[in-house]
Amino acid sequence: MYFHAIAVLPGGRRKSIVNKSEELMLTDFVIPFVRNGVIKARWGSSTQSYQVLELRIYGTEKAWDKKSGVQIDTFIGTAKNRFVQFEKRANKSLGATVHRVFIVMPIQGEKFGTQDEQRILKEYESRFEVIESLLGKYDAVAIRIDKEHTLDELVKKN
């Protein structure tokens, strides 16, 4: 059986981890996620640590082939999310931690605002992604409060 994970990252981003054995999925991704909400994964040419808000794990009989043109969500289809089973096993073998770094920076711009507001939002998003990428190389993860909660939620708490 092949296991595939969908990691939901702050800011609505997602990363797919595909075609792993059950043991590899458990040790390399589920245990670190259960331990501290962070996974260390290789995407492209670098290995980084990422803060993960939710981890979903699916099993399939066949390996997913990116070259087929079928999206991973379509390939997984109606497979059941097996995270709970993996989580139970992970809780039995927890280990080291990854450092969390709280990033304080302006929260400006609007996703659906004027062109100028969208440009400002994109600029701050790209700055945060550079910081996140750099920290990931040192087994640290960047935390930004507006990535954890919507601005509406933050305003209501005050």
Side-chain angles (χ1 to χ4, degrees):
M1 179 155 285
Y2 297 90
F3 290 91
H4 319 281
I6 305 295
V8 179
L9 307 178
R13 296 175 297 149
R14 292 175 16 147
K15 297 287 183 185
S16 301
I17 302 155
V18 299
N19 301 332
K20 304 297 181 193
S21 68
E22 182 174 359
E23 202 57 36
L24 191 63
M25 184 63 73
L26 178 68
T27 58
D28 288 1
F29 303 102
V30 178
I31 289 173
F33 171 72
V34 169
R35 179 177 53 230
N36 55 25
V38 172
I39 63 171
K40 190 172 186 176
R42 182 176 183 89
W43 283 291
S45 62
S46 64
T47 301
Q48 295 184 40
S49 295
Y50 288 91
Q51 176 189 12
V52 177
L53 302 177
E54 180 183 359
L55 189 64
R56 300 179 204 136
I57 300 176
Y58 304 94
T60 60
E61 292 298 322
K62 296 180 182 179
W64 178 67
D65 181 12
K66 184 176 184 175
K67 294 177 184 175
S68 71
V70 176
Q71 296 292 323
I72 186 68
D73 291 332
T74 303
F75 178 77
I76 291 168
T78 59
K80 181 182 176 189
N81 181 356
R82 298 180 180 210
F83 176 75
V84 172
Q85 291 89 349
F86 277 87
E87 182 181 33
K88 287 177 185 174
R89 290 180 56 198
N91 280 325
K92 294 180 182 177
S93 52
L94 296 175
T97 61
V98 170
H99 301 286
R100 292 173 172 236
V101 179
F102 186 74
I103 306 299
V104 177
M105 63 187 301
I107 302 171
Q108 294 182 332
E110 293 288 332
K111 187 175 185 177
F112 301 107
T114 66
Q115 250 186 337
D116 198 42
E117 289 170 334
Q118 290 177 27
R119 181 192 55 77
I120 292 169
L121 178 67
K122 185 177 179 183
E123 173 67 27
Y124 281 104
E125 292 290 326
S126 67
R127 288 179 186 186
F128 178 74
E129 288 174 13
V130 168
I131 294 168
E132 181 180 48
S133 177
L134 180 65
L135 288 172
K137 293 176 184 176
Y138 296 97
D139 291 329
V141 66
I143 309 293
R144 196 171 100 183
I145 194 67
D146 67 313
K147 299 290 187 182
E148 297 282 322
H149 303 282
T150 66
L151 290 177
D152 288 340
E153 290 173 341
L154 293 173
V155 171
K156 288 178 186 174
K157 288 183 180 185
N158 289 334

